[in-house]
Amino acid sequence: MGRVRKILIANRGEIAVRIIRTCRAMGIPSVAVYSEADADAPHVRLADAAVAIGPAPARESYLAIEKLLAAADASGADAIHPGYGFLAENARFAAAVRDRGLTFIGPPPEAIAAMGDKVAARTLMERAGVPVVPATPVLAPEPAAFAAAAERLGFPVVIKAAAGGGGKGMRIVRRTEDLAEAVAAAAREATAAFGDGRIYLERYLERPRHVEVQVFADTHGAVVHLGERECSIQRRHQKIVEESPSPAVDASLRTAMTDAGIQAAAAVAYVGAGTIEFLLDPEGRFYFLEMNTRLQVEHPVTEWITGLDLVREQILVAGGAPLSFDAVATRGHAIECRLYSEDPARGFLPATGAVRVLGEPSGAWVRFDSGVAVGSRIGVDYDPLLAKLSTYGATREEARLRMLAALRETVFLGVVTNRDYLAAVVAHPAFAAGATHTEFLAEHFSDWTPPAGPDHALAGALAALALAGPAARRDGAPDAAAAPSPWESLGAWRPGAAR
Ligand code: MV4
């Protein structure tokens, strides 16, 4: 190991762009990879070099380990950053990178594997003194075994997949008579989703908050925390609004949670950026849920309040450098919203199309991380995340109001987005009060409908007229100083004729 000299980014979209920017700022050449669907993507244009890795389906490109390793060889990269998603938490990939003599910008494969098996991870955490939810080991998928265990834990309970995480295969059960069906369904779902049907039981916590601790570790044994993030606002296990610090965490709870996070990371000899997810109950008790062994989507809120560039720190640590900070002071408050190409009016169905107009919010307290540009086609091959919008304020309320302003300034034409939904969430009195928990959207937004907006075709036609500008004034006078009012701009228009 030694200082990293050229980095291949095994990813696409906003996180690839994000990593390339830090590479540039550090003077490190970057290599993008791209599928056939991404030949013109911003991450490809931005990188110093780019290597084609195959067809659009991720299995044949962004998930194809051999192709990525070959691309690293061909481009002379000596390190690989996996971003998030795709192969970021694949221990075999991390090991394959290491076995080729390359640096994996992430934790050791052993740490990924230790946290990847959720049941083994629980046991490990328990031994490390990290609080965990009362649970069973893996059980035979028989109703009797689960019924006996549920009696001991107390209802409600939740059936989870040992190989799971992210809520897949999760089944909440409130009565003994519902167990048999739920066990069968959970085992089936776990096999289908993970190729591993092992399931177990946990006591189910009602309306908890999701609070996660950001940790950072170096190869010399130092482990520090960078505070917590509140990520309770989720739809079907998809986070949409995140913030730091959590409005539910005071100084003493923070000390307890971040201590537990550091214990968790130390227990698996962690290296790099990692996140320990906890459920926080209304009484202020917290329980280890899982550890994410990657840089997370929502890392910008931590960057806002710490002033650190987490990608830079990842690269330095991967090169063997000791951490350049210990107890990090945080300042102010940050909120992030995820803009997706999806249609809230149609059950959040992924929306496809091409970005025709892109209006980015601006200002010193606003950050817009995006991997798309005008002309980008949004298809069905990848995650529908268009952009992450984050704002900073000295107080939560300042950050919240700045977020509302920034959302209004954000324009995507050509694809349907969840922008107005996000604005409604951030404007909601319960959000303003910090009363966020994992049932927030179910309780406040299950019957939300988009505000009646303008007719897009009409808006487009008016925009085209407005763009025609002063040259199109009715009286023909080329008055550049005049406001480009469409009503003054109609003179040269003729139905059925070219202007
Ligand atoms: C739970 C839980 C309550 N009790 N486990 C969902 C995603 C996966 N990471 C774990 N999840 C949950 N596990 C017990 N024992 C509630 C959830 C949960 C949840 C957790 C975090 C964020 C949003 C959530 C939404 C619904 C359920």
Side-chain angles (χ1 to χ4, degrees), residues 12 35 53 55-65 86 381-382:
R12 63 178 304 283
S35 72
I53 51 165
R59 205 151 292 289
E60 298 171 61
S61 48
Y62 298 107
L63 289 171
I65 293 178
F86 295 125
D381 290 303
Y382 312 114

Side-chain angles (χ1 to χ4, degrees), residues 158 160 167 170 202-205 210 234 237 279 290 438:
V158 54
K160 291 190 177 183
M170 225 177 92
E202 284 183 4
R203 180 186 295 154
Y204 184 68
L205 309 174
H210 172 130
Q234 308 194 3
H237 306 305
L279 293 178
E290 53 193 73
T438 52

Side-chain angles (χ1 to χ4, degrees), residues 11 29 156 324 423 435 437:
N11 215 301
S324 61
H437 52 75

